[in-house]
Amino acid sequence: MTAVETQMTYSNSYTIHHEEAYMTQEEDWDRDLLLDPAWEKQQRKTFTAWCNSHLRKAGTQIENIEEDFRNGLKLMLLLEVISGERLPKPDKGKMRFHKIANVNKALDFICSKGVKLVSIGAEETSAKEGLLLWCQRKTAPYRNVNVQNFHIRWACNAELWRARRTDDPIGNLNTAFDVAEKFLDIPKMLDAEDIVNTPKPDEKAIMTYVSCFYHAFAGAEQAETAANRICKVLAVNQENEKLMEEYEKLASELLEWIRRTIPWLENRTAEQTMRAMQQKLEDFRDYRRIHKPPRVQEKCQLEINFNTLQTKLRLSNRPAFMPSEGKMVSDIANAWKGLEQVEKGYEEWLLTEIRRLERLDHLAEKFKQKCAMHESWTSGKEDLLSQKDYESASLMEIRALMRKHEAFESDLAAHQDRVEQIAAIAQELNELDYHDAATVNARCQGICDQWDNLGTLTQKRRDALERVEKLWETIDQLYLEFAKRAAPFNNWMDGAVEDLQDMFIVHSIEEIQSLITAHDQFKATLPEADKERMATMGIHNEILKIAQTYGIKLSGINPYTNLSPQDISTKWDTVKHLVPLRDQMLQEEVARQQANERLRRQFAAQANIIGPWIQTKMEEISHVSVDIAGSLEEQMNSLKQYEQNIINYKSNIDKLEGDHQLSQESLIFDNKHTNYTMEHIRVGWEQLLTTIARTINEVENQILTRDAKGISQEQLNEFRASFNHFDRKRNGMMDPDDFRACLISMGYDLGEVEFARIMTLVDPNNTGVVTFQAFIDFMTRETAETDTAEQVMASFKILASDKNYITVEELRRELPPEQAEYCITRMTRYIGADGPPGALDYISFSSALYGESDL
């Protein structure tokens, strides 16, 4: 029975007992009570107190039941307060028929609520039994209390409680009545003296009083249940919002780091010095080893947090989380892909630039050496060619000058190759974008202009000598022969000295062996060169011999050449001194190249082990993720072991990084002993870390789904077996066609529209694939026990005492402080006309919690 029906039944029960003289009582002792004035007084007092407990809500009360209810006005008011409904307008007259009409309206209203006015019996018995059961349940924890009815046993139990507590039972009962009236708003309907002193207290009076406790406690329990439900829902919502905020923050930081890093990697502005470019390479190594690895972990953690959040939202029947624009997982993946694309060519560019600068430094030094030698040779030649010494010379001197000029022309022709080499080196420096190309070009241009001028002056001097040659006939053949042989030999020695001092750069043992072979071939020509030297010196000795034999006074100067025998001897000694020095340089380079080869083999030996190890672990992790032999916990334990093994293996990667750094510092740019580069190992290692973390997260989400939806291990194994069967690419995902075939095999009757609807559930982001987690979510969606917006609305309605709005005071009274303030700050103002100022709209708030409107 409802509270209104129970109250009307009691009101009607009292009236019937008085008007029908209690002719339907079932127990014999009740008949005695009907004739007991004390009992009638207690009944009247109890009913009067009960009526006043409701009438005071309307601002009135009664003193005498017979007199105050006679005209029917207060009886109708009592029924309105109890039912919360409006009765027909009462008659205001004071005539007897007016009073009878009002009483009839009250009785008709009671009948309309299904309350029988005669022979209440069965209905009242149902309420009595229910109230008795409630009393037994509430007193069950107390010893020596055994409630069986509302008269004799009730009095006996009261005696037990009274004897056990104190020797003042009347005082205790009055205290209990006062507490009930003060804190539970239950009026004092009974007298303690009557209960204690009456052997058979009135059953209905006690039932009336106890029913007030029932309704008071039932309302409190209902409010507590509603508050608990709201707290649970709000706690889930607050946790999800915290995860969303953490995702947004982490995504923003990662995207900002990518945005700052890409321009740095895109910058291909080359430095002008080797030191500056090597510093760039060191900065890039720091980026790969120090700055990027934490970001890789952040990216992986971001994906894990996103998947975990989406799983929790699905399990709590919340809408899927949509990050801010530009912060989707796919957006971050695209930004990361752009970063890696830019990064891919950066190191290669750095190494290419270092090689270029190394080559440029070598060419620049070589250019300076050749220019210095050429400028040293040409120094004073223009002044020499511009002399007009032949105008005052004798015939012998003229012939000498002619021969000397011929020797100079021979020397000039021999230096043509050096000038071409200088020009070729300058052109290569320009093609390689040498930073000081302007200085090189200016110097090269000066040498070429000077060379052209030397050619012009040489031709002019020859013309002049030929004009006067007919006047002068004396020539010393031996001097001439000496000059002709000494000049090319001297040029040969100049070339030998230049070659022996030539700088070289090699990158392999084969290249240095080639230089050693060329040097050995040069040394093989030294005996023949020594013969040429001795022959040239023999000519000079012949000149001295002739001069001595014929008493010729020599001036000591060969008129045909500036080269002296001492010059030839000095340069020859220089050549012999440089040969062993060249041998030493070549052998030192052999040792360096051998050390480089050892570094190559050392790196290759480790890389050839680490590379296959990473690939093997990737395959093993893939097998664990699709294995259906064990439970999810066993899979998780296995994956954790793999994760620990991978972490323990990190020292091998670090050691390989160290060997790689030694190779780069030694300018080793290739390795024929392995197909694995450090970049291959880094990428594979990062993929392995990402794969193990992502696989662990997938199993964790499967455990969350299983526990939240009550899925057995056998069901999970069946789901995994079906998924693996139709995962034809063995990549942990199904194409839409494979997914359709899987559903059909499981008994689904799919049309195009129904299948399209299912695809929106399992692939909300339209990626074109169905993951195992999405497959499990779909297969278990209808079995999940989730709360709904309607349930939350009903809970708020209880807290609001059946109103369509709720006040701030009610929220703070019924909910914990944190969650009360959460509701107050997010609920909109109630706009209904029946709400007081400051009333809040809990209906729109409940809808927003489940994505049915904006929160």
Side-chain angles (χ1 to χ4, degrees):
M1 298 179 68
T2 65
V4 173
E5 291 172 343
T6 302
Q7 292 167 345
M8 289 182 178
T9 299
Y10 178 71
S11 175
N12 184 46
S13 173
Y14 181 84
T15 304
I16 295 302
H17 279 300
H18 280 274
E19 293 182 0
E20 299 296 333
Y22 303 93
M23 297 305 294
T24 60
Q25 294 295 321
E26 296 178 359
E27 299 182 9
D28 294 338
W29 62 273
D30 284 343
R31 292 190 180 93
D32 296 333
L33 290 177
L34 292 176
L35 303 177
D36 187 354
W39 177 86
E40 184 175 357
K41 178 182 177 182
Q42 178 63 46
Q43 283 283 300
R44 181 178 285 105
K45 182 177 180 180
T46 301
F47 185 68
T48 300
W50 179 83
C51 291
N52 285 333
S53 70
H54 293 287
L55 288 173
R56 66 185 177 185
K57 298 177 182 177
T60 186
Q61 63 181 13
I62 63 173
E63 298 295 336
N64 185 284
I65 295 175
E66 288 82 356
E67 295 299 328
D68 293 341
F69 279 169
R70 186 178 299 278
N71 60 5
L73 294 177
K74 288 190 177 182
L75 178 60
M76 294 179 68
L77 181 60
L78 174 64
L79 293 176
E80 288 184 347
V81 172
I82 293 174
S83 65
E85 300 181 17
R86 298 290 296 179
L87 270 69
K89 184 176 180 181
D91 293 348
K92 298 297 185 179
K94 297 183 179 180
M95 301 298 291
R96 185 172 182 274
F97 70 88
H98 291 138
K99 299 177 181 179
I100 294 174
N102 289 336
V103 172
N104 286 333
K105 290 178 181 179
L107 295 178
D108 290 342
F109 179 77
I110 293 175
C111 291
S112 69
K113 297 301 179 181
V115 179
K116 297 181 180 180
L117 299 179
V118 181
S119 301
I120 297 172
E123 292 77 11
E124 184 179 344
T125 299
S126 177
K128 173 182 174 181
E129 291 174 351
L131 188 61
L132 181 62
L133 179 62
W134 179 80
C135 292
Q136 291 171 342
R137 186 168 62 252
K138 289 298 182 180
T139 59
Y142 300 96
R143 293 188 305 168
N144 300 327
V145 178
N146 184 19
V147 179
Q148 297 296 328
N149 51 51
F150 291 104
H151 41 85
I152 298 175
R153 294 301 294 171
W154 186 271
C156 292
N157 282 314
E159 286 294 332
L160 288 173
W161 180 83
R162 183 168 66 240
R164 188 163 64 92
R165 298 292 181 176
T166 181
D167 58 357
D168 186 14
I170 295 177
N172 286 339
L173 288 173
N174 284 327
T175 299
F177 294 157
D178 292 338
V179 170
E181 185 172 31
K182 180 178 180 180
F183 294 101
L184 299 179
D185 198 26
I186 298 175
K188 185 177 180 182
M189 301 180 184
L190 304 175
D191 286 331
E193 294 82 356
D194 293 340
I195 295 176
V196 173
N197 299 326
T198 302
K200 297 181 181 179
D202 180 52
E203 181 180 45
K204 293 180 175 56
I206 293 177
M207 284 178 59
T208 300
Y209 190 67
V210 172
S211 68
C212 292
F213 282 91
Y214 169 82
H215 292 296
F217 291 145
E221 291 177 353
Q222 192 177 26
E224 181 181 357
T225 301
N228 289 338
R229 176 182 292 274
I230 291 173
C231 289
K232 176 183 177 182
V233 172
L234 295 180
V236 171
N237 215 61
Q238 287 173 304
E239 181 182 1
N240 291 341
E241 286 183 355
K242 182 179 179 181
L243 290 175
M244 294 174 189
E245 292 171 358
E246 291 176 353
Y247 175 88
E248 291 282 339
K249 179 176 180 295
L250 188 58
S252 299
E253 292 175 353
L254 183 57
L255 288 171
E256 176 60 20
W257 178 81
I258 294 174
R259 183 191 66 78
R260 294 196 310 268
T261 304
I262 286 180
W264 175 65
L265 294 174
E266 288 178 335
N267 182 12
R268 297 295 196 273
T269 303
E271 301 293 339
Q272 296 181 353
T273 64
M274 176 72 79
R275 177 183 292 274
M277 286 305 296
Q278 287 177 336
Q279 183 59 47
K280 275 183 173 286
L281 180 60
E282 186 63 27
D283 292 342
F284 180 74
R285 291 197 196 103
D286 290 342
Y287 159 77
R288 289 307 308 268
R289 293 179 301 180
I290 300 174
H291 303 300
K292 185 181 178 184
R295 300 299 179 177
V296 173
Q297 295 178 2
E298 288 179 7
K299 175 177 175 290
C300 179
Q301 188 62 43
L302 194 66
E303 295 175 358
I304 291 173
N305 290 351
F306 181 84
N307 293 336
T308 301
L309 174 59
Q310 298 294 40
T311 298
K312 290 186 176 182
L313 289 172
R314 286 194 300 270
L315 294 177
S316 59
N317 201 24
R318 301 305 197 275
F321 170 57
M322 292 298 293
S324 302
E325 183 176 359
K327 297 180 183 177
M328 294 288 292
V329 173
S330 58
D331 296 329
I332 295 172
N334 291 334
W336 190 267
K337 182 178 181 182
L339 173 69
E340 292 186 330
Q341 288 176 346
V342 175
E343 175 187 309
K344 183 177 180 181
Y346 187 74
E347 185 176 18
E348 182 178 350
W349 171 76
L350 286 175
L351 297 177
T352 301
E353 281 300 311
I354 289 175
R355 294 191 192 101
R356 183 182 71 84
L357 288 175
E358 182 184 31
R359 174 66 176 166
L360 284 174
D361 290 346
H362 171 70
L363 290 174
E365 188 63 27
K366 192 171 184 178
F367 177 83
K368 291 176 183 178
Q369 286 184 357
K370 288 187 177 293
C371 286
M373 293 184 67
H374 176 79
E375 290 166 349
S376 175
W377 179 83
T378 59
S379 178
K381 293 293 190 299
E382 291 172 293
D383 295 337
L384 184 64
L385 291 172
S386 299
Q387 290 179 355
K388 295 185 179 181
D389 51 349
Y390 51 84
E391 293 180 351
S392 59
S394 64
L395 178 61
M396 184 67 72
E397 290 173 340
I398 289 296
R399 288 181 176 176
L401 289 175
M402 188 64 182
R403 300 301 181 266
K404 183 179 179 180
H405 187 69
E406 291 175 354
F408 173 77
E409 287 180 330
S410 176
D411 200 6
L412 186 68
H415 279 79
Q416 175 69 33
D417 182 64
R418 181 176 294 143
V419 174
E420 292 176 356
Q421 290 178 5
I422 290 173
I425 293 173
Q427 181 179 357
E428 187 172 359
L429 286 171
N430 278 274
E431 291 173 351
L432 293 176
D433 196 23
Y434 182 56
H435 69 92
D436 200 15
T439 301
V440 170
N441 292 337
R443 193 171 185 180
C444 180
Q445 187 63 43
I447 289 174
C448 292
D449 293 342
Q450 185 189 38
W451 186 255
D452 292 339
N453 190 39
L454 284 175
T456 301
L457 291 175
T458 300
Q459 187 60 40
K460 287 182 178 180
R461 185 170 179 81
R462 168 170 278 282
D463 293 341
L465 289 173
E466 287 178 349
R467 283 194 305 270
V468 298
E469 187 178 13
K470 294 179 181 180
L471 302 174
W472 312 102
E473 300 177 349
T474 303
I475 187 167
D476 192 337
Q477 184 65 35
L478 289 176
Y479 272 125
L480 179 60
E481 184 177 355
F482 177 86
K484 287 184 177 181
R485 297 193 70 165
F489 184 70
N490 181 68
N491 287 335
W492 178 87
M493 287 191 296
D494 286 341
V497 171
E498 182 178 354
D499 290 338
L500 290 171
Q501 294 178 328
D502 185 31
M503 298 176 62
F504 58 84
I505 177 171
V506 295
H507 297 94
S508 66
I509 293 178
E510 291 77 8
E511 291 178 3
I512 190 62
Q513 288 296 343
S514 176
L515 291 179
I516 292 174
T517 300
H519 183 61
D520 291 339
Q521 292 174 352
F522 167 77
K523 289 192 293 185
T525 65
L526 289 178
E528 189 67 24
D530 192 43
K531 291 180 181 179
E532 180 65 17
R533 181 189 66 82
M534 293 178 66
T536 302
M537 295 301 293
I539 294 174
H540 176 68
N541 294 334
E542 184 66 18
I543 291 173
L544 294 177
K545 182 179 179 181
I546 293 174
Q548 186 178 7
T549 301
Y550 297 100
I552 298 175
K553 187 179 179 180
L554 300 175
S555 62
I557 299 175
N558 191 326
Y560 305 114
T561 180
N562 290 327
L563 291 172
S564 67
Q566 184 62 37
D567 293 335
I568 299 298
S569 297
T570 300
K571 286 191 177 181
W572 178 254
D573 292 338
T574 299
V575 170
K576 291 194 296 181
H577 175 70
L578 290 174
V579 167
L581 293 180
R582 184 72 170 182
D583 285 332
Q584 181 180 355
M585 289 176 61
L586 292 173
Q587 290 304 318
E588 289 175 352
E589 183 61 27
V590 167
R592 190 175 78 87
Q593 290 301 322
Q594 288 174 342
N596 289 351
E597 184 65 9
R598 286 193 295 272
L599 287 176
R600 289 187 182 95
R601 293 181 181 276
Q602 181 176 336
F603 177 87
Q606 295 184 76
N608 290 335
I609 294 173
I610 293 175
W613 186 88
I614 292 175
Q615 182 62 33
T616 300
K617 293 303 175 186
M618 291 281 286
E619 294 173 356
E620 291 175 355
I621 292 171
S622 176
H623 291 159
V624 170
S625 65
V626 300
D627 188 13
I628 62 175
S631 65
L632 290 177
E633 284 75 14
E634 291 173 344
Q635 291 184 23
M636 178 62 71
N637 292 336
S638 179
L639 290 172
K640 289 292 185 180
Q641 291 176 359
Y642 275 107
E643 184 181 42
Q644 188 59 47
N645 291 339
I646 292 170
I647 293 173
N648 295 338
Y649 202 77
K650 180 65 166 57
S651 60
N652 297 312
I653 304 297
D654 295 338
K655 186 176 184 303
L656 190 63
E657 284 281 8
D659 292 344
H660 177 63
Q661 181 175 350
L662 291 176
S663 298
Q664 289 196 333
E665 290 173 352
S666 300
L667 300 180
I668 300 174
F669 305 115
D670 57 1
N671 194 334
K672 65 182 179 180
H673 303 296
T674 181
N675 292 326
Y676 293 99
T677 65
M678 195 63 231
E679 183 61 21
H680 292 151
I681 299 299
R682 288 170 183 156
V683 172
W685 181 253
E686 291 171 359
Q687 290 177 348
L688 180 59
L689 292 177
T690 301
T691 298
I692 186 63
R694 186 177 294 144
T695 305
I696 289 174
N697 178 248
E698 289 176 355
V699 175
E700 289 174 343
N701 286 339
Q702 291 175 25
I703 293 174
L704 282 175
T705 302
R706 181 198 66 188
D707 296 341
K709 299 185 177 182
I711 306 172
S712 67
Q713 187 62 45
E714 290 75 18
Q715 288 177 308
L716 278 177
N717 290 343
E718 290 177 3
F719 292 156
R720 171 59 76 182
S722 299
F723 185 91
N724 290 346
H725 178 76
F726 289 92
D727 179 15
R728 307 186 193 282
K729 296 182 180 179
R730 296 297 182 264
N731 59 356
M733 294 177 286
M734 287 192 293
D735 294 334
D737 292 339
D738 295 336
F739 179 57
R740 179 195 290 270
C742 180
L743 292 179
I744 293 173
S745 71
M746 299 176 72
Y748 281 81
D749 185 12
L750 296 176
E752 291 297 328
V753 175
E754 176 62 13
F755 181 72
R757 183 190 69 80
I758 293 175
M759 282 301 297
T760 60
L761 297 177
V762 299
D763 186 19
N765 295 326
N766 197 24
T767 60
V769 293
V770 179
T771 65
F772 181 63
Q773 183 61 43
F775 178 73
I776 291 179
D777 289 342
F778 170 75
M779 296 304 298
T780 60
R781 185 179 302 273
E782 296 182 358
T783 62
E785 295 183 3
T786 58
D787 49 73
T788 64
E790 290 74 14
Q791 291 174 330
V792 176
M793 291 179 194
S795 298
F796 273 117
K797 192 173 184 67
I798 292 172
L799 297 187
S801 299
D802 287 338
K803 299 189 298 292
N804 292 329
Y805 59 85
I806 193 167
T807 65
V808 172
E809 292 74 14
E810 289 172 333
L811 286 172
R812 288 176 174 162
R813 184 178 68 241
E814 301 295 346
L815 298 179
E818 179 183 357
Q819 292 165 332
E821 295 304 319
Y822 179 85
C823 293
I824 292 170
T825 57
R826 285 165 171 75
M827 284 187 180
T828 60
R829 297 298 178 186
Y830 181 70
I831 60 175
D834 57 334
L840 301 176
D841 185 358
Y842 64 79
I843 295 178
S844 62
F845 175 76
S846 301
S847 299
L849 286 178
Y850 293 86
E852 298 176 8
S853 63
D854 294 331
L855 184 59

